Amino acid sequence: VMIRHFTFEDTKYKCFRDQVIRQTLQTEPGAKILVFSFFRGTVKYLEQQLNADGVKCLCIHGDIPSTPLQPDKDERGRRIRQFQDDPDIRVLISTEVGSEGLDFQFCHHLVNYDLPWNPMVVEQRIGRIDRFGQKADVLHIVNLVVEGTVEDRILLRLYDRIGIFEH
């Protein structure tokens, strides 16, 4: 039996790490970056990859307990506070649990690692950093899209849908 080993290079992740994360942290040493992905598996993957590549990050998703009325059991809240307060934690990766009702005005970089079909979800994500108390003059929003894929078509559809709202 012959076993072949294939190496897989995740070019989307590599672009995200090198051209978004590392470049941002190099040009703005104190920057905090909020990253959204629709998929829990992607959030866990990104956390594992970034930590392995020396970028300290945390993640929040539906499996992380959120009990704001019991602060000692509120793991999600603890991670959000750690992201805000710990200068070594530069990135927070979140599923949609972080896209509503949370305030990240201390952060002015947002990455949509993947895009939802609904433009209002994108607006909700952006609304986490575009809040009262935001001190930055410019918000940096990055949508990672691989050309010629379904993501590319989603982005075009989102632009079309947002255009409908603008008119």
Side-chain angles (χ1 to χ4, degrees):
V1 174
M2 180 183 283
I3 299 175
R4 293 184 182 173
H5 295 278
F6 296 96
T7 53
F8 169 73
E9 182 180 35
D10 184 347
T11 54
K12 182 176 180 177
Y13 170 75
K14 186 177 178 189
C15 175
F16 165 68
R17 180 196 63 207
D18 297 342
Q19 296 179 24
V20 179
I21 301 297
R22 286 186 176 158
Q23 191 170 28
T24 299
L25 298 180
Q26 195 171 46
T27 58
E28 285 187 66
K32 300 282 187 168
I33 305 168
L34 180 59
V35 179
F36 281 104
S37 175
F38 186 78
F39 303 101
R40 186 177 308 159
T42 303
V43 167
K44 291 176 181 179
Y45 168 76
L46 292 175
E47 178 187 35
Q48 177 185 13
Q49 291 297 113
L50 285 174
N51 279 318
D53 287 335
V55 178
K56 292 191 177 198
C57 63
L58 296 170
C59 74
I60 58 174
H61 49 75
D63 288 345
I64 307 295
S66 176
T67 50
L69 297 177
Q70 297 177 308
D72 57 319
K73 295 181 181 179
D74 186 14
E75 178 61 19
R76 195 178 305 165
R78 187 193 67 74
R79 289 183 185 197
I80 292 168
R81 286 187 301 279
Q82 185 178 3
F83 172 57
Q84 180 175 358
D85 298 337
D86 186 338
D88 291 332
I89 305 295
R90 309 303 300 284
V91 178
L92 179 71
I93 310 157
S94 178
T95 60
E96 298 310 315
V97 302
S99 70
E100 290 186 34
L102 296 176
D103 298 331
F104 293 98
Q105 66 270 25
F106 58 90
C107 179
H108 63 277
H109 291 272
L110 184 138
V111 177
N112 288 306
Y113 194 82
D114 49 48
L115 291 167
W117 285 93
N118 185 342
M120 298 318 293
V121 173
V122 175
E123 289 293 324
Q124 283 284 355
R125 289 176 175 184
I126 294 169
R128 298 311 91 216
I129 65 171
D130 188 15
R131 320 252 342 131
F132 182 74
Q134 175 59 259
K135 291 180 176 49
D137 293 329
V138 176
L139 300 178
H140 300 272
I141 313 297
V142 175
N143 298 314
L144 282 175
V145 176
V146 178
E147 283 185 286
T149 64
V150 73
E151 287 179 323
D152 197 16
R153 292 195 305 271
I154 290 172
L155 182 62
L156 292 175
R157 290 282 305 208
L158 284 171
Y159 284 153
D160 286 345
R161 289 177 180 177
I162 290 170
I164 290 169
F165 295 120
E166 289 175 355
H167 297 294

